[in-house]
Amino acid sequence: MKLTLDLPETLHRPLVLASHSAGISPEEYAITCIERVVRPSSVHIPQGGDKPSTEQTLFVSAPILDLVEGLLSGTITVGEVLRHGNFGLGTLSMLNGEVVVIDGVAYQQTEKGECHIIPPESTSPFMMVCTFSDEHSVHHTIHDIGWSDLHSALDQWLSSKNLFAAIKIKGSFSYVKVRAVRKQEHNRPLVEVTREQAIMEFHNDQEGWLVGFWSPGFLGHALSVPGYHLHFMTADYSKGGHVLDLKMDEGSVYIQTLHTLVQEFPTTSEFTTSKFESNKYASSQLKEAES
């Protein structure tokens, strides 16, 4: 069967950018997007234990504990991660800035708050992504809200705190405080790196997104950041970082519950020979590093 697509101009550039980040042609990327939409809706699996819908699945490239312990080398390419989702966050090898994924395009967020498209061959020690769709999410609106009040509102809207959730918020921000880690020359514990992080503040009205996840607290500190983990990106894709504080004038909140976790583990000698259980303070170190 031959399929011809006539894309509007508003979709052409995002398609080209996304295919570049994934390391494949625009045609191949378009086919991948179609498969993600068609397959879950055309194949109904009534029994548990079989392959879940991609809209319910969170892919995590490595336990975040490896960053806590200071294993900073990349273990997977960004292009490979993007085959598992179009929405997410993470970091690059040796903590060379933050990473945010929007509409299938991965962006590096540098220590200067600048954003750049990441080549697919770049590697990462930690990323988490899912296939986000507004149609598969719950929608809410917010007005005149700060960081702590936003957390309280999200608490009320999560379907369950015992499940992962992808969170996308689009709106107008009167103030955003973000951080970005600086590239390291050698392995160091995450808590040491973040004590030297770059802090940036955006005071003028900014249109943009929050991209991130809720992770259940009962899973502890090993797999991902417990609670809310959100990154900011301006609407023109030029600035952003890991959110520390904010003030929003108004916005639209989309929450997509994730029922399935696909967790990969690195096979590097650094990871397989590390004695993670010996760190009694990993939980408090991660909390300090992410706040």
Side-chain angles (χ1 to χ4, degrees):
M1 182 180 72
K2 182 177 181 180
L3 177 65
T4 301
L5 296 177
D6 185 13
L7 291 177
E9 186 63 30
T10 54
L11 292 180
H12 183 264
R13 183 174 181 272
L15 176 63
V16 173
L17 292 176
S19 64
H20 173 76
S21 290
I24 58 179
S25 69
E27 292 78 10
E28 290 174 310
Y29 191 85
I31 292 172
T32 301
C33 292
I34 292 171
E35 288 177 341
R36 287 175 179 166
V37 173
V38 172
R39 284 181 178 174
S41 61
S42 61
V43 180
H44 176 66
I45 302 178
Q47 302 298 324
D50 289 306
K51 186 176 180 180
S53 166
T54 54
E55 284 78 15
Q56 299 174 343
T57 302
L58 173 65
F59 173 82
V60 182
S61 67
I64 201 167
L65 186 58
D66 64 351
L67 295 186
V68 177
E69 292 289 315
L71 306 183
L72 310 182
S73 298
T75 57
I76 189 172
T77 67
V78 173
E80 176 59 30
V81 173
L82 292 180
R83 295 180 185 273
H84 296 274
N86 60 9
F87 176 95
L89 48 72
T91 188
L92 290 174
S93 182
M94 302 311 295
L95 299 186
N96 188 16
E98 311 287 342
V99 171
V100 64
V101 178
I102 300 178
D103 296 330
V105 182
Y107 299 88
Q108 175 198 29
Q109 300 181 310
T110 72
E111 62 183 87
K112 296 181 180 180
E114 301 169 346
C115 297
H116 309 287
I117 294 176
I118 301 172
E121 64 272 14
S122 298
T123 59
S124 169
F126 175 81
M127 285 183 68
M128 50 195 305
V129 296
C130 69
T131 301
F132 196 95
S133 169
D134 292 352
E135 295 179 356
H136 291 88
S137 63
V138 178
H139 177 227
H140 301 275
T141 58
I142 49 178
H143 301 275
D144 191 25
I145 197 168
W147 187 227
S148 61
D149 288 339
L150 176 60
H151 283 198
S152 298
L154 292 173
D155 285 344
Q156 300 299 314
W157 295 333
L158 292 173
S159 65
S160 170
K161 286 196 169 184
N162 296 331
L163 298 173
F164 285 94
I167 301 168
K168 181 175 75 171
I169 303 175
K170 184 176 182 180
S172 177
F173 300 79
S174 56
Y175 170 74
V176 186
K177 181 180 181 181
V178 302
R179 75 103 190 270
V181 288
R182 295 184 169 95
K183 183 179 180 179
Q184 302 299 297
E185 297 301 323
H186 52 81
N187 286 341
R188 297 173 64 199
L190 182 63
V191 69
E192 293 183 10
V193 175
T194 55
R195 288 170 183 165
E196 304 168 357
Q197 64 191 4
I199 304 292
M200 293 142 287
E201 295 180 301
F202 306 128
H203 292 278
N204 297 326
D205 288 342
Q206 301 277 348
E207 296 292 325
W209 292 275
L210 297 180
V211 172
F213 297 94
W214 162 268
S215 296
F218 71 83
L219 291 174
H221 60 272
L223 301 185
S224 61
V225 178
Y228 298 107
H229 184 187
L230 298 169
H231 287 194
F232 173 70
M233 169 75 87
T234 56
D236 63 359
Y237 309 98
S238 66
K239 293 176 288 187
H242 175 106
V243 179
L244 300 175
D245 195 10
L246 59 77
K247 178 72 174 179
M248 287 192 69
D249 297 326
E250 59 181 1
S252 295
V253 180
Y254 299 88
I255 302 175
Q256 183 170 306
T257 302
L258 304 169
H259 302 155
T260 303
L261 172 66
V262 176
Q263 173 71 67
E264 285 205 356
F265 293 88
T267 57
T268 61
S269 60
E270 281 186 329
F271 183 86
T272 57
T273 59
S274 291
K275 299 184 182 299
F276 296 121
E277 68 276 5
S278 65
N279 189 343
K280 301 178 182 178
Y281 308 103
S283 180
S284 60
Q285 288 173 354
L286 180 59
K287 184 176 180 180
E288 177 183 341
E290 294 299 317
S291 61

